[in-house]
Amino acid sequence: MNRELAEIIKLYAIGSDKALNDYLLGKSKNNLMATLIDLITMYINDKNSSTLREFLTVSIAGYSHREGKIGYNGYKQSVYGTPIKCEAKPKNVRSGGKRKLNGGGNFTDYTHERLKRDKKENLHMLVSGFVDGKLIYIIEFPFGCSTFTDRLNQQLQKRFPHGDISGQFLRSANFDYRYYINCKGMKVLFVLPKSELTEHKQYIVRVFYKFLLEVAPDDK
């Protein structure tokens, strides 16, 4: 974190409104722009919070973002007037790390009961991938796709073969592109143009990269 940003955060938290305003007014436009970019870079790459990546995924997909940790991440009105809820699973990898994007995500603290509830909802999944905070793709598909729910159920059955146990959870029910790529209703909502996508090839698993390249728009 740069010194300017640290001082702004400190004044916001423990200083007066006047002290913060005076400090900001004393900075140049270029200085404020650089500080804002530093803040966004830090926030969007935060390992402990996916809030900004979630907001981008949901809003770019055309849903209204719903803040809060409990419940679904967004909604929009359908042509029939019934709200469509969405669950966003953004994933960010760093260019210096070993992890790669695989079109996947995970559900934390999952149970048979939660799977049953999610299957009853008119729920859509939004899966997105970022590299160093740069959005690479957004894919949407119905939660009720059988290959997808079978994947979740398989992991739940392994953890809870005789049904849910009070106070216990499957800590992470994971999935990747293989479990929804052929689902009816699957749509690629956003993907980088081919030349930009190629620049990020090394951060995407090979088969999934090939799929993205096939649907990526040509460069303008």
Side-chain angles (χ1 to χ4, degrees), residues 29-109:
K29 178 181 178 181
N30 287 341
N31 188 281
L32 290 174
M33 288 174 61
T35 302
L36 177 59
I37 291 171
D38 283 347
L39 177 60
I40 293 173
T41 300
M42 182 177 67
Y43 190 16
I44 203 168
N45 284 295
D46 189 350
K47 293 181 179 180
N48 300 311
S49 174
S50 61
T51 301
L52 192 54
R53 298 188 295 272
E54 177 188 293
F55 168 77
L56 286 168
T57 300
V58 169
S59 58
I60 291 174
Y63 291 79
S64 296
H65 184 240
R66 181 180 180 275
E67 297 181 3
K69 292 290 186 181
I70 301 175
Y72 302 118
N73 303 131
Y75 64 92
K76 67 179 179 180
Q77 294 298 126
S78 70
V79 293
Y80 304 106
T82 304
I84 300 174
K85 299 174 183 177
C86 69
E87 179 81 12
K89 297 297 178 186
K91 185 177 180 180
N92 185 54
V93 300
R94 303 304 300 269
S95 55
K98 296 181 179 180
R99 295 170 63 232
K100 294 187 177 184
L101 296 172
N102 62 0
N106 70 283
F107 294 82
T108 58
D109 296 343

Coordinates of all heavy atoms in Angstrom, one line a residue, residues 29-109:
K29 N -4.8 16.2 -9.3 CA -5.6 15.2 -9.9 C -4.9 13.9 -10.3 O -5.4 12.8 -10.0 CB -6.2 15.9 -11.2 CG -7.1 14.9 -12.1 CD -7.5 15.6 -13.3 CE -8.4 14.7 -14.2 NZ -8.8 15.4 -15.4
N30 N -3.7 14.0 -10.7 CA -2.9 12.8 -11.1 C -2.6 12.0 -9.8 O -2.6 10.8 -9.9 CB -1.6 13.2 -11.8 CG -1.8 13.7 -13.2 OD1 -2.9 13.5 -13.8 ND2 -0.9 14.5 -13.7
N31 N -2.3 12.7 -8.7 CA -2.0 12.0 -7.5 C -3.2 11.2 -7.0 O -3.1 10.0 -6.6 CB -1.6 13.0 -6.4 CG -1.1 12.3 -5.2 OD1 -1.8 11.9 -4.4 ND2 0.3 12.2 -5.0
L32 N -4.4 11.8 -7.1 CA -5.7 11.2 -6.7 C -6.0 10.0 -7.6 O -6.5 8.9 -7.1 CB -6.8 12.2 -6.6 CG -6.7 13.2 -5.5 CD1 -7.8 14.2 -5.7 CD2 -6.8 12.6 -4.2
M33 N -5.8 10.2 -8.9 CA -6.0 9.1 -9.8 C -5.1 7.9 -9.5 O -5.6 6.7 -9.5 CB -5.8 9.6 -11.3 CG -6.9 10.5 -11.8 SD -6.5 11.2 -13.4 CE -6.4 9.7 -14.4
A34 N -3.9 8.1 -9.3 CA -2.9 7.0 -9.0 C -3.3 6.3 -7.7 O -3.2 5.1 -7.6 CB -1.5 7.6 -8.9
T35 N -3.8 7.1 -6.7 CA -4.2 6.5 -5.4 C -5.4 5.6 -5.6 O -5.5 4.5 -5.0 CB -4.4 7.6 -4.4 OG1 -3.3 8.4 -4.2 CG2 -4.8 7.0 -3.1
L36 N -6.4 6.1 -6.4 CA -7.6 5.4 -6.7 C -7.3 4.0 -7.4 O -7.8 3.0 -7.0 CB -8.6 6.2 -7.5 CG -9.9 5.5 -7.9 CD1 -10.7 5.0 -6.7 CD2 -10.7 6.4 -8.8
I37 N -6.4 4.1 -8.4 CA -6.0 2.9 -9.1 C -5.3 1.9 -8.1 O -5.6 0.7 -8.2 CB -5.1 3.2 -10.3 CG1 -5.9 4.0 -11.3 CG2 -4.4 2.0 -10.9 CD1 -5.0 4.6 -12.5
D38 N -4.5 2.4 -7.2 CA -3.8 1.5 -6.2 C -4.9 0.8 -5.4 O -4.8 -0.4 -5.0 CB -2.9 2.3 -5.4 CG -1.6 2.6 -6.1 OD1 -1.3 2.0 -7.1 OD2 -0.8 3.5 -5.6
L39 N -5.9 1.6 -5.0 CA -6.9 1.1 -4.1 C -7.7 0.0 -4.8 O -8.0 -1.1 -4.3 CB -7.9 2.2 -3.6 CG -9.1 1.7 -2.8 CD1 -8.6 1.1 -1.5 CD2 -10.0 2.9 -2.5
I40 N -8.1 0.2 -6.1 CA -8.9 -0.8 -6.8 C -8.0 -2.0 -7.1 O -8.5 -3.1 -6.9 CB -9.3 -0.2 -8.2 CG1 -10.3 1.0 -8.0 CG2 -9.9 -1.2 -9.1 CD1 -10.7 1.7 -9.2
T41 N -6.8 -1.8 -7.4 CA -5.9 -3.0 -7.6 C -5.8 -3.8 -6.4 O -5.8 -5.1 -6.4 CB -4.5 -2.5 -8.0 OG1 -4.6 -1.7 -9.2 CG2 -3.5 -3.7 -8.3
M42 N -5.6 -3.2 -5.2 CA -5.5 -3.9 -4.0 C -6.8 -4.7 -3.6 O -6.8 -5.8 -3.2 CB -5.2 -3.0 -2.9 CG -5.0 -3.6 -1.5 SD -4.4 -2.4 -0.2 CE -5.9 -1.4 -0.1
Y43 N -7.9 -4.0 -3.8 CA -9.3 -4.5 -3.5 C -9.6 -5.7 -4.4 O -10.1 -6.7 -3.9 CB -10.3 -3.4 -3.6 CG -11.6 -3.7 -3.0 CD1 -11.9 -4.8 -2.2 CD2 -12.7 -2.8 -3.3 CE1 -13.1 -5.0 -1.6 CE2 -14.0 -3.1 -2.8 CZ -14.2 -4.2 -2.0 OH -15.4 -4.4 -1.5
I44 N -9.4 -5.5 -5.7 CA -9.9 -6.5 -6.6 C -9.0 -7.8 -6.6 O -9.5 -8.9 -7.0 CB -9.9 -6.0 -8.1 CG1 -10.9 -6.8 -8.9 CG2 -8.5 -6.0 -8.7 CD1 -11.2 -6.1 -10.3
N45 N -7.8 -7.7 -6.0 CA -7.0 -8.9 -5.9 C -6.9 -9.4 -4.5 O -6.2 -10.3 -4.2 CB -5.5 -8.5 -6.3 CG -5.4 -8.4 -7.8 OD1 -5.5 -9.4 -8.5 ND2 -5.1 -7.2 -8.3
D46 N -7.8 -8.9 -3.6 CA -7.8 -9.3 -2.2 C -8.2 -10.8 -2.1 O -9.2 -11.3 -2.6 CB -8.8 -8.5 -1.4 CG -8.8 -8.7 0.1 OD1 -8.1 -9.7 0.5 OD2 -9.4 -8.0 0.8
K47 N -7.3 -11.6 -1.5 CA -7.5 -13.0 -1.3 C -8.6 -13.3 -0.4 O -9.3 -14.4 -0.4 CB -6.2 -13.7 -0.9 CG -5.1 -13.7 -1.9 CD -3.9 -14.5 -1.3 CE -2.7 -14.5 -2.3 NZ -1.6 -15.2 -1.7
N48 N -8.9 -12.4 0.6 CA -9.9 -12.7 1.6 C -11.2 -12.1 1.3 O -12.2 -12.3 2.1 CB -9.3 -12.1 2.9 CG -8.0 -12.7 3.4 OD1 -7.9 -14.0 3.4 ND2 -7.1 -11.9 3.7
S49 N -11.4 -11.4 0.2 CA -12.7 -10.9 -0.1 C -12.9 -10.9 -1.6 O -12.0 -10.4 -2.4 CB -12.8 -9.4 0.4 OG -14.0 -8.8 0.0
S50 N -14.0 -11.4 -2.1 CA -14.3 -11.4 -3.5 C -15.4 -10.4 -3.8 O -16.0 -10.5 -4.9 CB -14.7 -12.8 -3.9 OG -15.9 -13.2 -3.2
T51 N -15.7 -9.5 -2.9 CA -16.8 -8.6 -3.1 C -16.8 -7.8 -4.4 O -17.8 -7.7 -5.1 CB -16.9 -7.6 -1.9 OG1 -17.0 -8.3 -0.7 CG2 -18.1 -6.7 -2.1
L52 N -15.7 -7.2 -4.7 CA -15.6 -6.4 -6.0 C -15.7 -7.3 -7.2 O -16.4 -7.0 -8.2 CB -14.3 -5.6 -6.0 CG -14.1 -4.5 -7.1 CD1 -15.3 -3.6 -7.0 CD2 -12.8 -3.8 -6.9
R53 N -15.0 -8.5 -7.2 CA -15.1 -9.4 -8.3 C -16.5 -9.9 -8.5 O -17.0 -10.1 -9.6 CB -14.1 -10.5 -8.1 CG -12.7 -10.1 -8.1 CD -11.7 -11.3 -8.1 NE -11.8 -12.1 -6.9 CZ -11.1 -11.9 -5.8 NH1 -10.3 -10.9 -5.7 NH2 -11.2 -12.7 -4.8
E54 N -17.2 -10.1 -7.4 CA -18.6 -10.6 -7.4 C -19.5 -9.5 -8.0 O -20.4 -9.8 -8.8 CB -19.0 -10.9 -6.0 CG -20.5 -11.3 -5.8 CD -20.9 -11.5 -4.4 OE1 -20.4 -12.4 -3.7 OE2 -21.7 -10.6 -3.9
F55 N -19.3 -8.3 -7.5 CA -20.1 -7.1 -8.0 C -19.9 -7.0 -9.6 O -20.9 -6.8 -10.3 CB -19.7 -5.8 -7.4 CG -20.3 -4.6 -8.0 CD1 -21.6 -4.2 -7.8 CD2 -19.5 -3.8 -8.9 CE1 -22.1 -3.1 -8.5 CE2 -20.0 -2.7 -9.5 CZ -21.3 -2.4 -9.3
L56 N -18.7 -7.1 -10.0 CA -18.5 -6.9 -11.5 C -19.1 -8.1 -12.2 O -19.8 -7.8 -13.3 CB -17.0 -7.0 -11.7 CG -16.2 -5.7 -11.4 CD1 -14.7 -5.9 -11.4 CD2 -16.6 -4.6 -12.3
T57 N -19.0 -9.3 -11.7 CA -19.6 -10.4 -12.4 C -21.1 -10.3 -12.5 O -21.7 -10.5 -13.6 CB -19.2 -11.7 -11.6 OG1 -17.8 -11.9 -11.6 CG2 -19.9 -13.0 -12.3
V58 N -21.7 -10.0 -11.4 CA -23.2 -9.9 -11.4 C -23.7 -8.7 -12.2 O -24.7 -8.9 -13.0 CB -23.7 -9.7 -9.9 CG1 -25.1 -9.4 -9.9 CG2 -23.4 -11.0 -9.1
S59 N -23.1 -7.6 -12.1 CA -23.6 -6.4 -12.9 C -23.4 -6.5 -14.4 O -24.2 -6.1 -15.2 CB -23.0 -5.1 -12.3 OG -21.6 -5.2 -12.4
I60 N -22.2 -7.0 -14.8 CA -21.9 -7.2 -16.2 C -22.8 -8.2 -16.8 O -23.2 -8.1 -18.0 CB -20.4 -7.5 -16.4 CG1 -19.5 -6.3 -16.1 CG2 -20.2 -7.9 -17.9 CD1 -18.0 -6.6 -16.1
A61 N -23.2 -9.2 -16.0 CA -24.2 -10.2 -16.5 C -25.6 -9.7 -16.6 O -26.5 -10.4 -17.1 CB -24.1 -11.4 -15.6
G62 N -25.9 -8.5 -16.1 CA -27.2 -7.9 -16.3 C -28.1 -8.1 -15.1 O -29.3 -7.9 -15.1
Y63 N -27.5 -8.5 -13.9 CA -28.3 -8.6 -12.7 C -28.0 -7.5 -11.7 O -27.0 -6.8 -11.8 CB -27.9 -9.9 -12.0 CG -28.3 -11.2 -12.7 CD1 -27.5 -11.7 -13.7 CD2 -29.4 -11.9 -12.2 CE1 -27.9 -12.9 -14.4 CE2 -29.7 -13.1 -12.8 CZ -29.0 -13.6 -13.9 OH -29.3 -14.8 -14.6
S64 N -29.0 -7.2 -10.8 CA -28.8 -6.3 -9.8 C -28.1 -6.9 -8.6 O -28.5 -8.0 -8.2 CB -30.1 -5.7 -9.3 OG -30.8 -5.0 -10.3
H65 N -27.0 -6.3 -8.2 CA -26.1 -7.0 -7.2 C -26.8 -6.9 -5.8 O -27.4 -5.8 -5.5 CB -24.8 -6.3 -7.1 CG -23.8 -7.0 -6.1 ND1 -23.3 -6.3 -5.1 CD2 -23.4 -8.2 -6.1 CE1 -22.5 -7.1 -4.4 NE2 -22.6 -8.3 -4.9
R66 N -26.8 -7.9 -5.1 CA -27.3 -8.0 -3.7 C -26.2 -8.1 -2.7 O -25.5 -9.1 -2.7 CB -28.3 -9.1 -3.6 CG -28.9 -9.3 -2.2 CD -29.9 -10.5 -2.2 NE -30.5 -10.6 -0.9 CZ -30.0 -11.2 0.2 NH1 -28.8 -11.8 0.1 NH2 -30.7 -11.4 1.3
E67 N -26.0 -7.1 -1.9 CA -24.9 -7.1 -0.9 C -25.2 -8.0 0.3 O -26.4 -8.3 0.5 CB -24.6 -5.7 -0.4 CG -24.2 -4.7 -1.5 CD -23.9 -3.3 -1.0 OE1 -24.0 -3.1 0.2 OE2 -23.5 -2.5 -1.8
G68 N -24.2 -8.5 0.9 CA -24.4 -9.3 2.1 C -23.9 -10.7 1.8 O -23.8 -11.2 0.7
K69 N -23.4 -11.4 2.9 CA -22.8 -12.7 2.8 C -23.9 -13.8 2.7 O -23.6 -14.9 2.2 CB -21.9 -13.0 4.0 CG -20.7 -12.1 4.0 CD -19.7 -12.5 2.9 CE -18.4 -11.7 3.0 NZ -17.4 -12.0 1.9
I70 N -25.1 -13.6 3.2 CA -26.1 -14.6 3.3 C -27.1 -14.4 2.1 O -27.5 -13.3 1.8 CB -26.8 -14.6 4.6 CG1 -25.8 -14.8 5.8 CG2 -27.9 -15.7 4.7 CD1 -26.4 -14.7 7.1
G71 N -27.4 -15.5 1.5 CA -28.4 -15.5 0.4 C -27.7 -15.4 -1.0 O -26.4 -15.5 -1.1
Y72 N -28.5 -15.2 -2.0 CA -27.9 -15.2 -3.4 C -27.3 -13.8 -3.7 O -27.5 -12.9 -3.0 CB -29.0 -15.6 -4.3 CG -29.6 -16.9 -4.0 CD1 -30.9 -17.1 -3.7 CD2 -28.8 -18.1 -4.0 CE1 -31.5 -18.4 -3.4 CE2 -29.3 -19.3 -3.7 CZ -30.6 -19.5 -3.4 OH -31.1 -20.7 -3.1
N73 N -26.6 -13.8 -4.8 CA -25.7 -12.6 -5.0 C -26.4 -11.5 -5.9 O -25.9 -10.4 -6.0 CB -24.4 -13.0 -5.7 CG -23.7 -14.0 -4.9 OD1 -23.2 -15.0 -5.4 ND2 -23.5 -13.7 -3.6
G74 N -27.5 -11.9 -6.6 CA -28.2 -10.9 -7.4 C -29.5 -11.4 -8.0 O -29.8 -12.6 -7.8
Y75 N -30.2 -10.5 -8.7 CA -31.5 -10.9 -9.3 C -31.8 -10.0 -10.5 O -31.2 -8.9 -10.6 CB -32.6 -10.8 -8.2 CG -32.8 -9.4 -7.7 CD1 -33.8 -8.6 -8.4 CD2 -32.0 -8.8 -6.7 CE1 -33.9 -7.3 -8.0 CE2 -32.2 -7.5 -6.3 CZ -33.2 -6.8 -6.9 OH -33.3 -5.4 -6.5
K76 N -32.7 -10.5 -11.3 CA -33.3 -9.7 -12.4 C -34.7 -10.2 -12.7 O -35.0 -11.3 -12.3 CB -32.4 -9.7 -13.6 CG -32.3 -11.1 -14.3 CD -31.4 -11.0 -15.6 CE -31.3 -12.3 -16.3 NZ -30.5 -12.3 -17.5
Q77 N -35.5 -9.4 -13.3 CA -36.8 -9.8 -13.6 C -36.8 -10.6 -14.9 O -36.2 -10.2 -15.9 CB -37.7 -8.5 -13.8 CG -38.0 -7.8 -12.5 CD -38.6 -8.6 -11.4 OE1 -38.2 -8.7 -10.3 NE2 -39.8 -9.2 -11.8
S78 N -37.6 -11.6 -14.9 CA -37.7 -12.4 -16.2 C -38.8 -11.9 -17.0 O -39.6 -11.0 -16.5 CB -38.0 -13.9 -15.8 OG -39.3 -14.0 -15.3
V79 N -39.0 -12.4 -18.2 CA -40.1 -11.9 -19.1 C -41.4 -12.3 -18.5 O -42.5 -11.7 -18.9 CB -39.9 -12.5 -20.5 CG1 -38.7 -11.9 -21.2 CG2 -39.9 -14.0 -20.5
Y80 N -41.4 -13.3 -17.6 CA -42.7 -13.7 -17.0 C -43.0 -13.0 -15.6 O -44.0 -13.2 -15.0 CB -42.7 -15.2 -16.7 CG -42.4 -16.0 -18.0 CD1 -41.1 -16.6 -18.2 CD2 -43.3 -16.1 -19.0 CE1 -40.8 -17.3 -19.3 CE2 -43.1 -16.9 -20.1 CZ -41.8 -17.4 -20.3 OH -41.5 -18.1 -21.5
G81 N -42.1 -12.1 -15.3 CA -42.3 -11.3 -14.0 C -41.7 -11.9 -12.8 O -41.7 -11.3 -11.7
T82 N -41.3 -13.2 -12.9 CA -40.7 -13.9 -11.7 C -39.2 -13.6 -11.7 O -38.5 -13.7 -12.6 CB -40.9 -15.4 -11.9 OG1 -42.2 -15.7 -12.0 CG2 -40.3 -16.1 -10.6
P83 N -38.7 -13.1 -10.5 CA -37.3 -12.8 -10.4 C -36.4 -14.0 -10.6 O -36.7 -15.1 -10.2 CB -37.1 -12.3 -9.0 CG -38.5 -11.9 -8.5 CD -39.4 -12.8 -9.3
I84 N -35.3 -13.8 -11.4 CA -34.3 -14.8 -11.5 C -33.1 -14.5 -10.6 O -32.6 -13.4 -10.7 CB -33.8 -14.9 -13.0 CG1 -34.9 -15.2 -14.0 CG2 -32.7 -15.9 -13.1 CD1 -34.5 -15.1 -15.4
K85 N -32.8 -15.4 -9.7 CA -31.7 -15.2 -8.8 C -30.4 -15.8 -9.4 O -30.5 -16.7 -10.2 CB -32.0 -15.9 -7.5 CG -33.3 -15.4 -6.8 CD -33.6 -16.2 -5.5 CE -34.9 -15.7 -4.9 NZ -35.2 -16.5 -3.7
C86 N -29.3 -15.2 -9.0 CA -28.0 -15.7 -9.5 C -27.1 -15.9 -8.3 O -27.1 -15.3 -7.3 CB -27.4 -14.8 -10.5 SG -26.8 -13.2 -9.8
E87 N -26.2 -16.9 -8.5 CA -25.1 -17.2 -7.6 C -23.8 -17.0 -8.4 O -23.6 -17.6 -9.4 CB -25.2 -18.6 -7.1 CG -24.1 -19.0 -6.1 CD -24.4 -18.6 -4.7 OE1 -25.5 -18.1 -4.4 OE2 -23.4 -18.7 -3.9
A88 N -23.0 -16.0 -7.9 CA -21.7 -15.7 -8.6 C -20.6 -16.5 -8.0 O -20.4 -16.5 -6.8 CB -21.5 -14.2 -8.6
K89 N -19.7 -17.0 -8.8 CA -18.5 -17.7 -8.4 C -17.3 -17.1 -9.1 O -16.8 -17.7 -10.1 CB -18.6 -19.2 -8.6 CG -19.7 -19.9 -7.8 CD -19.5 -19.8 -6.3 CE -20.6 -20.4 -5.5 NZ -20.5 -20.1 -4.1
P90 N -16.8 -15.9 -8.7 CA -15.6 -15.4 -9.3 C -14.3 -16.0 -8.8 O -14.2 -16.3 -7.6 CB -15.7 -13.9 -9.0 CG -16.4 -13.9 -7.6 CD -17.3 -15.1 -7.7
K91 N -13.4 -16.2 -9.7 CA -12.1 -16.8 -9.3 C -11.0 -15.9 -9.9 O -11.0 -15.6 -11.0 CB -12.0 -18.2 -9.8 CG -10.7 -18.9 -9.4 CD -10.7 -20.4 -9.9 CE -9.5 -21.1 -9.5 NZ -9.5 -22.5 -10.0
N92 N -10.0 -15.6 -9.0 CA -8.9 -14.7 -9.4 C -7.6 -15.5 -9.2 O -7.4 -16.1 -8.2 CB -8.9 -13.4 -8.6 CG -7.8 -12.5 -9.0 OD1 -7.7 -12.1 -10.2 ND2 -6.9 -12.0 -8.1
V93 N -6.7 -15.5 -10.2 CA -5.4 -16.1 -10.1 C -4.4 -15.0 -10.3 O -4.6 -14.0 -11.0 CB -5.2 -17.2 -11.1 CG1 -6.2 -18.3 -10.8 CG2 -5.2 -16.8 -12.5
R94 N -3.2 -15.1 -9.7 CA -2.1 -14.2 -9.8 C -1.1 -14.7 -10.8 O -0.8 -15.9 -10.9 CB -1.5 -13.9 -8.5 CG -2.4 -13.4 -7.4 CD -3.2 -12.2 -7.8 NE -2.3 -11.0 -8.1 CZ -1.9 -10.1 -7.2 NH1 -2.3 -10.2 -5.9 NH2 -1.1 -9.2 -7.5
S95 N -0.6 -13.7 -11.6 CA 0.4 -14.1 -12.6 C 1.6 -14.8 -12.1 O 2.3 -15.5 -12.8 CB 0.8 -12.9 -13.4 OG 1.3 -11.8 -12.6
G96 N 2.0 -14.5 -10.8 CA 3.2 -15.2 -10.3 C 2.9 -16.5 -9.6 O 3.9 -17.1 -9.1
G97 N 1.7 -16.9 -9.6 CA 1.4 -18.2 -8.9 C 1.2 -19.4 -9.8 O 1.4 -19.3 -11.0
K98 N 0.9 -20.5 -9.2 CA 0.8 -21.8 -9.9 C -0.7 -22.1 -10.3 O -0.9 -22.9 -11.2 CB 1.3 -22.9 -9.1 CG 2.8 -22.8 -8.9 CD 3.4 -24.0 -8.1 CE 4.9 -23.9 -7.8 NZ 5.4 -25.0 -7.0
R99 N -1.6 -21.5 -9.7 CA -3.0 -21.8 -9.9 C -3.5 -21.3 -11.3 O -3.0 -20.2 -11.8 CB -3.9 -21.1 -8.9 CG -3.7 -21.7 -7.5 CD -4.5 -20.9 -6.4 NE -5.9 -20.9 -6.6 CZ -6.7 -19.9 -6.7 NH1 -6.1 -18.7 -6.6 NH2 -8.0 -20.0 -6.8
K100 N -4.4 -22.0 -12.0 CA -4.9 -21.6 -13.3 C -6.4 -21.6 -13.3 O -7.0 -22.3 -12.5 CB -4.4 -22.6 -14.4 CG -2.9 -22.6 -14.6 CD -2.5 -23.4 -15.8 CE -1.0 -23.3 -16.1 NZ -0.7 -24.1 -17.3
L101 N -7.0 -20.8 -14.1 CA -8.4 -20.8 -14.3 C -8.9 -22.0 -15.0 O -8.4 -22.4 -16.0 CB -8.8 -19.5 -15.1 CG -8.5 -18.2 -14.4 CD1 -8.8 -17.0 -15.4 CD2 -9.3 -17.9 -13.2
N102 N -10.0 -22.6 -14.4 CA -10.5 -23.8 -15.1 C -12.0 -23.7 -15.2 O -12.7 -24.7 -15.4 CB -10.1 -25.1 -14.2 CG -10.7 -25.0 -12.8 OD1 -11.4 -24.0 -12.4 ND2 -10.5 -26.0 -12.0
G103 N -12.5 -22.5 -15.2 CA -14.0 -22.3 -15.3 C -14.7 -22.8 -14.1 O -15.9 -23.0 -14.1
G104 N -14.0 -22.9 -13.0 CA -14.6 -23.5 -11.8 C -14.9 -22.6 -10.7 O -14.8 -21.3 -10.8
G105 N -15.4 -23.1 -9.6 CA -15.7 -22.4 -8.4 C -16.0 -23.4 -7.3 O -15.8 -24.6 -7.4
N106 N -16.5 -22.9 -6.1 CA -16.8 -23.8 -5.1 C -17.9 -23.2 -4.1 O -18.1 -22.0 -4.1 CB -15.6 -24.2 -4.2 CG -15.1 -23.0 -3.4 OD1 -14.5 -22.1 -3.9 ND2 -15.4 -23.1 -2.1
F107 N -18.6 -24.1 -3.5 CA -19.6 -23.7 -2.5 C -19.0 -24.1 -1.1 O -18.6 -25.2 -0.9 CB -20.9 -24.5 -2.7 CG -21.6 -24.1 -3.9 CD1 -21.3 -24.7 -5.1 CD2 -22.7 -23.2 -3.9 CE1 -21.9 -24.4 -6.3 CE2 -23.4 -22.9 -5.1 CZ -23.0 -23.5 -6.3
T108 N -19.0 -23.1 -0.2 CA -18.5 -23.4 1.2 C -19.6 -23.8 2.1 O -20.8 -23.4 1.9 CB -17.8 -22.2 1.7 OG1 -18.7 -21.1 1.8 CG2 -16.6 -21.8 0.9
D109 N -19.2 -24.7 3.1 CA -20.2 -25.1 4.1 C -21.5 -25.6 3.5 O -22.6 -25.1 3.8 CB -20.5 -24.0 5.1 CG -19.2 -23.6 5.8 OD1 -18.3 -24.3 5.9 OD2 -19.2 -22.5 6.4

